[in-house]
Amino acid sequence: MGITERRLKEKEKVRTAILTTAWQMVKEEGWQSLSIRKIADAIEYSVPVIYDHFESKEAILVEFGNEGLRLLTKKIQQAREKFTDPVDQLRAMADAYWNFALKNKEYYQLMYGVGMACCEGKKYLDDKERFDYIVMESIKEAISKNKEPGSNICLKYHTFWSILHGLVSIKIMGNSPVSGELNKMVLDDAINGFIKNLG
Amino acid sequence: MGITERRLKEKEKVRTAILTTAWQMVKEEGWQSLSIRKIADAIEYSVPVIYDHFESKEAILVEFGNEGLRLLTKKIQQAREKFTDPVDQLRAMADAYWNFALKNKEYYQLMYGVGMACCEGKKYLDDKERFDYIVMESIKEAISKNKEPGSNICLKYHTFWSILHGLVSIKIMGNSPVSGELNKMVLDDAINGFIKNLG
DNA sequence: TTATATTTGCTAACGGTGTTAGGTAAAACG
DNA sequence: CGTTTTACCTAACACCGTTAGCAAATATAA
């Protein structure tokens, strides 16, 4: 069955061609200007070929969204592993989150619908539990080390994430007239407040 | 010149008809499905008539964006006026922000590009200085009342806003599986942390 | 090898979008 | 009344996502 195998590999090639071309376009011109027709043009196939590999344009976006979450989760994981003290871990993860979002604006936009089309209440992010788990572990430890072990971990996690997401999405939307340096200070300031409030 | 005056009033009527119809559509079906053609259809004029009143679809959106900011600023102002203690003011303004965003999801989405098309780095919000000013006043007072008068007000303001925006946009995007009650707790928790960190 | 079945890729269309050029009829003005 | 401005429309342009249907190339079976 060497023939059908080669066939499958050819198909996989086209599939990855679609994805890499699409990603290149997004990086160059943003999500707005990504279109099935342009992808087809770039990979020198006709439009319906795209639909042999992806059910819809949405499906392509989901692909990228999941990839983005995978990358982010990895970064967070690595940041956490660098420290043993939970508070240090939280600071490192906040930094990693911030850096990921700004270095991978396109991923972040897609993942959380910052200035995007689509994304109407749909949750791309099925694998988000892993991300949640990693951050919550540090929060749990940080709380148990302090005097207030009765705190709601889920609540604290949510607060943590909100702070990060707010900062990042304001930055990405370009609504913030302040410099990048100040933004980093804001991040540290907000995280400090969060940590102080842990116990 | 009674004739030209009546003419102008007629024109104004069409203009407001466009806006009210558009707004109704958005409330019913979301920003996604708003189209020039549907508006024209609803007000029983042909498509180009819209372009006699608005330069583009974007211009209509800007109109709503500014209206949203006006409304939000008003709510924030009113919340502030209810208290004299700056910390109470901050809490009230945070509540007002939260309530506005959830009661006026469509405005908020447009203003800050939460799950929207358009909004690529453009800043609709020219009048944002007023909003900034109102919040910063309370922060300034809260800081000067505490021991740490050297704090950067602009930084603190930004932190405050980031917390609010993060919470709101996560809620609006529907990425948060937690209940509305918990969300309110998260808001209070985050604001508590912010206030503790003020001095 | 030949006949059949499957896969591959295409053209062309459907219905939708924002936007605009160009024409017509009505109204306002001198 | 004639002229000019205004209001309004039809029709088109250039896109978009999506799909039906067909032709050619390939793989499978007899």
Side-chain angles (χ1 to χ4, degrees):
Chain A
M1 290 297 142
I3 289 169
T4 57
E5 194 184 328
R6 200 193 54 204
R7 274 281 170 103
L8 281 178
K9 278 206 173 175
E10 283 295 317
K11 244 196 143 157
E12 195 59 33
K13 242 185 190 170
V14 175
R15 201 189 126 93
T16 59
I18 292 171
L19 289 175
T20 57
T21 303
W23 186 242
Q24 192 183 326
M25 285 179 172
V26 168
K27 284 285 240 182
E28 276 165 12
E29 307 179 60
W31 290 109
Q32 307 294 335
S33 72
L34 180 67
S35 90
I36 298 278
R37 288 176 138 96
K38 280 189 205 164
I39 297 172
D41 221 56
I43 65 172
E44 293 184 301
Y45 277 100
S46 70
V47 170
V49 170
I50 311 267
Y51 288 89
D52 289 342
H53 298 272
F54 296 95
E55 204 180 335
S56 65
K57 185 179 178 179
E58 192 82 5
I60 299 179
L61 299 185
V62 170
E63 196 82 12
F64 285 120
N66 287 328
E67 193 181 322
L69 181 60
R70 245 182 355 253
L71 289 174
L72 172 59
T73 304
K74 203 173 171 187
K75 291 282 182 193
I76 294 288
Q77 173 84 41
Q78 288 168 353
R80 201 180 112 92
E81 281 166 359
K82 280 195 191 139
F83 299 90
T84 51
D85 181 56
V87 168
D88 290 339
Q89 287 176 344
L90 286 174
R91 285 189 211 280
M93 287 190 288
D95 271 12
Y97 193 99
W98 172 260
N99 286 327
F100 172 85
L102 296 202
K103 275 188 200 158
N104 304 278
K105 195 180 154 183
E106 294 82 10
Y107 276 130
Y108 199 89
Q109 281 188 94
L110 183 60
M111 287 160 65
Y112 297 119
V114 178
M116 290 280 310
C118 72
C119 315
E120 277 222 73
K122 291 155 200 161
K123 35 183 165 182
Y124 296 122
L125 314 171
D126 293 335
D127 300 330
K128 186 149 189 308
E129 287 97 1
R130 258 197 70 221
F131 174 89
D132 297 354
Y133 177 78
I134 293 170
V135 179
M136 278 202 221
E137 277 303 294
S138 290
I139 291 177
K140 188 157 58 175
E141 288 177 37
I143 288 176
S144 61
K145 269 184 72 176
N146 283 326
K147 312 111 200 174
E148 231 176 313
S151 296
N152 188 336
I153 292 165
C154 182
L155 177 136
K156 290 295 179 185
Y157 162 70
H158 222 68
T159 306
F160 185 76
W161 181 32
S162 290
I163 292 170
L164 290 176
H165 178 66
L167 215 68
V168 163
S169 48
I170 285 172
K171 173 78 177 166
I172 284 180
M173 281 296 293
N175 268 328
S176 153
V178 302
S179 70
E181 241 178 84
L182 179 52
N183 265 314
K184 184 64 174 63
M185 287 171 65
V186 171
L187 173 65
D188 293 339
D189 184 44
I191 296 299
N192 272 334
F194 173 78
I195 287 169
K196 270 194 199 171
N197 204 34
L198 273 184
Chain B
M1 289 298 142
I3 288 170
T4 56
E5 196 184 328
R6 199 193 53 204
R7 274 282 169 103
L8 281 177
K9 279 204 172 175
E10 283 294 318
K11 244 197 144 157
E12 195 60 32
K13 242 185 190 169
V14 175
R15 201 189 126 93
T16 59
I18 292 171
L19 289 175
T20 57
T21 302
W23 186 242
Q24 192 183 326
M25 285 178 172
V26 169
K27 284 285 242 180
E28 277 166 11
E29 307 179 60
W31 289 110
Q32 307 295 336
S33 72
L34 180 68
S35 90
I36 299 279
R37 289 175 137 96
K38 281 189 204 163
I39 297 173
D41 221 55
I43 65 172
E44 293 184 300
Y45 277 99
S46 70
V47 169
V49 171
I50 311 268
Y51 288 88
D52 290 341
H53 299 272
F54 297 94
E55 205 179 333
S56 64
K57 185 179 178 178
E58 192 82 3
I60 299 178
L61 300 185
V62 170
E63 196 81 14
F64 285 120
N66 286 327
E67 192 182 324
L69 181 60
R70 249 185 347 258
L71 289 174
L72 172 58
T73 304
K74 203 173 170 187
K75 290 283 181 192
I76 294 288
Q77 173 84 40
Q78 287 170 353
R80 202 180 111 92
E81 280 166 0
K82 280 196 191 137
F83 299 90
T84 52
D85 180 57
V87 168
D88 290 339
Q89 287 176 344
L90 286 174
R91 286 189 210 279
M93 287 189 288
D95 271 14
Y97 193 99
W98 172 260
N99 286 328
F100 172 85
L102 296 202
K103 276 188 199 158
N104 303 278
K105 195 179 154 183
E106 293 82 11
Y107 276 131
Y108 198 90
Q109 282 187 95
L110 185 58
M111 287 160 64
Y112 298 118
V114 179
M116 290 281 309
C118 70
C119 315
E120 276 223 74
K122 290 155 200 161
K123 34 183 164 181
Y124 296 122
L125 314 169
D126 293 335
D127 300 331
K128 187 151 188 305
E129 286 98 1
R130 258 197 70 224
F131 175 88
D132 297 354
Y133 178 78
I134 293 170
V135 179
M136 279 203 220
E137 276 303 295
S138 290
I139 290 177
K140 188 157 59 175
E141 286 177 39
I143 288 176
S144 62
K145 268 185 72 178
N146 282 328
K147 312 112 200 174
E148 231 177 312
S151 296
N152 188 336
I153 292 164
C154 181
L155 177 136
K156 289 295 179 185
Y157 162 69
H158 222 69
T159 306
F160 185 76
W161 182 31
S162 291
I163 292 170
L164 291 176
H165 177 65
L167 214 67
V168 163
S169 47
I170 285 171
K171 173 78 178 166
I172 284 180
M173 281 296 293
N175 267 330
S176 153
V178 303
S179 70
E181 238 177 87
L182 179 51
N183 266 313
K184 184 65 174 61
M185 286 170 66
V186 171
L187 172 66
D188 294 339
D189 184 44
I191 295 298
N192 273 334
F194 173 78
I195 287 169
K196 269 195 200 171
N197 204 35
L198 272 184

